[in-house]
Amino acid sequence: MRYFTTTVDLKDSELDHSIYVQCLQLRREVFISQMGWNLYQHMGCEFDQYDTPASVHVVALQNNAVLGCMRLLRTDNDLGNATYMILDAHLGRIPNLPSGIMDEQIQSQDTWEASRLAISSRVPTSERNAVLVDLLRTGMEYVATRGGTSLLGMMNPVFLRVFRRAGLRAYKFGRIADQRDGRLCVMKLDLEPGAAMVAA
Amino acid sequence: MKHPIQEKFNKYGFVILAPGQVPSDAITTFSDEWKEVYFRNEFHKIDPVFEFAVRSTRNSNCTLLSEAQMTNELFEEARMFEADSNFVSVSHYGGNTMVFGGVNPELDPRATASIQHACQATHRIELLKNLDLLTDTQIDLMEMAEEGFLDKEIASEFGISLSAIAQRKQAICKAVGTDCFKSTLRLYTLQKWGGLVGEYT
């Protein structure tokens, strides 16, 4: 399966907005149509309070069609009554997400959050790990160019094994929480020292 | 995790049976006292719920019990515990069987197909819980199998023999309660990617 990964920055004046819209449509399919989560949607798109110009989106593209996407947000983000999704969940501010899920609260320019990961069913099961890891690597490269050193995510704990097999430095960063659709835990991925220089 | 059948019955109970296993315990909203009486007296041996299961060994199926089927000593006693199930479902997955009995005297016979669907979803949810028991090494094997690696490639990666891979697959199936690795892998994939993958063109 041939595809490439890139970032979509809403502040980019030459941004192809159709790619961003496809990300939001894919998210609607996964989180609302498939999972039945009670999230806000409008015009076939799912978006929330964290989809601001401060967020950056990593996409996997095949012939200009989005195969997968993931949202990045710096953890010192301040949206008035919200910070970033994992911390807000940790603090009990997000219904249907478990609270008390982080080993420690992080709000730092060095750490970014990856959230709203969605992958199209067009990606065969056998290639989903590769698409996911490519999205993460591209996200980590972007974070490195912005001076970041680590990435937080919230996923099923089996992904720790996937990331470690792929050579990423991933570890559990909180308790495993049982919730409606299975188990979740916060994980932290540390960027390789010098990753910023490589990415730059 | 909430059972999809929860709101469709006043009370219900089900037994999950791994290959070769006999009924000895149930997941149920019936009283503990009834559960204790039921298994102590081996009522499953005369229960029409299990008779239906014996007749449905190949396919998942469901039925509403007739009044005649519900007039015997077992049901007289069950009524005292509000455990007189009138709906029966059998679900099969990868060699594992779920036998379900639910109480809903108002049940519309036309609704049984959708309830059977909910019973099968409940069965899968119960099996998915067993995946949490897998060790890191077992997860690594599942990961390689999901990525399409052949057994000989997995064996080479782990530095073990092909027969050891077969044994490990068997151990995974046993932990999950199935006898079919492909079915177990499908469950694993369902749980792992649930919430991340969606139909989208």
Side-chain angles (χ1 to χ4, degrees):
Chain A
M1 179 169 227
R2 296 174 76 89
Y3 61 89
F4 72 97
T5 51
T6 186
T7 52
V8 171
D9 188 338
L10 300 182
K11 299 181 291 298
D12 181 355
S13 58
E14 293 176 13
L15 170 69
D16 178 355
H17 284 86
S18 71
I19 302 292
Y20 179 56
V21 170
Q22 282 189 62
C23 291
L24 301 181
Q25 287 172 334
L26 176 58
R27 282 167 40 176
R28 191 195 79 98
E29 284 307 310
V30 172
F31 306 130
I32 298 175
S33 303
Q34 198 94 346
M35 299 306 296
W37 293 347
N38 185 23
L39 301 173
Y40 182 74
Q41 60 172 319
H42 187 62
M43 296 175 73
C45 297
E46 182 275 320
F47 49 91
D48 64 17
Q49 64 269 42
Y50 307 106
D51 289 303
T52 70
S55 62
V56 173
H57 301 262
V58 186
V59 294
L61 286 172
Q62 184 186 53
N63 302 324
N64 237 28
V66 171
L67 286 181
C69 60
M70 179 180 83
R71 178 178 64 196
L72 298 176
L73 194 60
R74 223 167 71 176
T75 59
D76 61 349
N77 184 51
D78 182 6
L79 298 167
N81 57 353
T83 55
Y84 62 99
M85 202 172 78
I86 292 173
L87 180 57
D88 286 339
H90 174 73
L91 296 172
R93 293 175 180 161
I94 303 183
N96 299 324
L97 277 182
S99 58
I101 48 174
M102 299 175 80
D103 280 344
E104 62 178 276
Q105 291 186 28
I106 295 179
Q107 281 186 285
S108 159
Q109 60 181 8
D110 299 332
T111 305
W112 289 60
E113 171 193 65
S115 62
R116 284 294 192 263
L117 172 71
I119 293 177
S120 165
S121 58
R122 284 191 296 137
V123 179
T125 307
S126 58
E127 299 197 38
R128 288 177 190 164
N129 279 348
V131 171
L132 168 61
V133 169
D134 285 342
L135 284 170
L136 267 178
R137 285 194 196 283
T138 303
M140 289 165 86
E141 282 170 14
Y142 178 88
V143 166
T145 61
R146 297 297 183 274
T149 55
S150 60
L151 202 57
L152 291 177
M154 186 164 55
M155 301 181 86
N156 185 315
V158 298
F159 283 101
L160 280 169
R161 304 299 299 175
V162 176
F163 299 151
R164 286 180 193 160
R165 276 185 62 230
L168 302 176
R169 301 198 305 176
Y171 53 94
K172 199 157 72 68
F173 194 71
R175 68 183 177 94
I176 294 175
D178 276 309
Q179 50 104 53
R180 190 182 58 173
D181 301 303
R183 298 191 311 160
L184 280 179
C185 75
V186 177
M187 44 189 83
K188 195 160 178 247
L189 287 96
D190 286 338
L191 277 61
E192 294 290 334
M197 286 167 59
V198 175
Chain B
M1 208 181 283
K2 197 176 163 186
H3 291 136
I5 28 101
Q6 209 154 299
E7 283 147 16
K8 301 184 191 296
F9 294 95
N10 305 340
K11 291 195 173 176
Y12 64 87
F14 57 84
V15 173
I16 303 274
L17 298 168
Q21 207 174 7
V22 292
S24 60
D25 197 8
I27 297 164
T28 179
T29 61
F30 299 138
S31 68
D32 288 344
E33 201 182 347
W34 170 245
K35 192 165 87 167
E36 206 270 318
V37 167
Y38 188 93
F39 287 109
R40 180 164 36 85
N41 293 312
E42 297 188 318
F43 280 158
H44 62 273
K45 290 182 176 171
I46 53 164
D47 190 343
V49 171
F50 280 91
E51 280 172 20
F52 181 75
V54 168
R55 292 200 305 275
S56 310
T57 48
R58 287 182 181 274
N59 299 316
S60 297
N61 204 354
C62 70
T63 190
L64 278 169
L65 295 179
S66 65
E67 276 187 32
Q69 285 172 299
M70 295 174 69
T71 44
N72 58 30
E73 280 177 28
L74 166 64
F75 272 86
E76 272 173 35
E77 189 145 4
R79 270 186 203 97
M80 292 195 290
F81 293 91
E82 297 173 334
D84 46 337
S85 299
N86 60 318
F87 175 84
V88 185
S89 160
V90 179
S91 168
H92 297 290
Y93 189 91
N96 188 288
T97 303
M98 181 183 89
V99 183
F100 174 95
V103 183
N104 180 354
E106 312 293 318
L107 192 63
D108 183 341
R110 289 170 299 185
T112 54
S114 71
I115 293 178
Q116 173 65 2
H117 191 72
C119 285
Q120 287 176 285
T122 299
H123 188 194
R124 278 197 300 274
I125 285 171
E126 286 301 317
L127 292 178
L128 287 172
K129 287 181 188 170
N130 297 339
L131 290 169
D132 297 342
L133 306 171
L134 299 185
T135 64
D136 284 350
T137 316
Q138 288 174 324
I139 290 170
D140 287 344
L141 192 152
M142 296 301 269
E143 284 299 323
M144 292 191 76
E146 187 184 68
E147 288 179 19
F149 283 87
L150 301 171
D151 280 3
K152 62 180 179 186
E153 293 169 321
I154 300 174
S156 161
E157 174 79 16
F158 283 0
I160 57 177
S161 66
L162 269 174
S163 62
I165 290 293
Q167 280 171 11
R168 288 191 185 191
K169 283 184 169 180
Q170 223 170 14
I172 289 169
C173 290
K174 194 177 174 195
V176 178
T178 63
D179 61 6
C180 170
F181 185 75
K182 272 188 182 174
S183 302
T184 309
L185 185 58
R186 267 203 301 276
L187 273 181
Y188 178 82
T189 294
L190 182 75
Q191 187 193 52
K192 179 184 159 192
W193 294 104
L196 296 179
V197 175
E199 299 293 331
Y200 178 71
T201 50

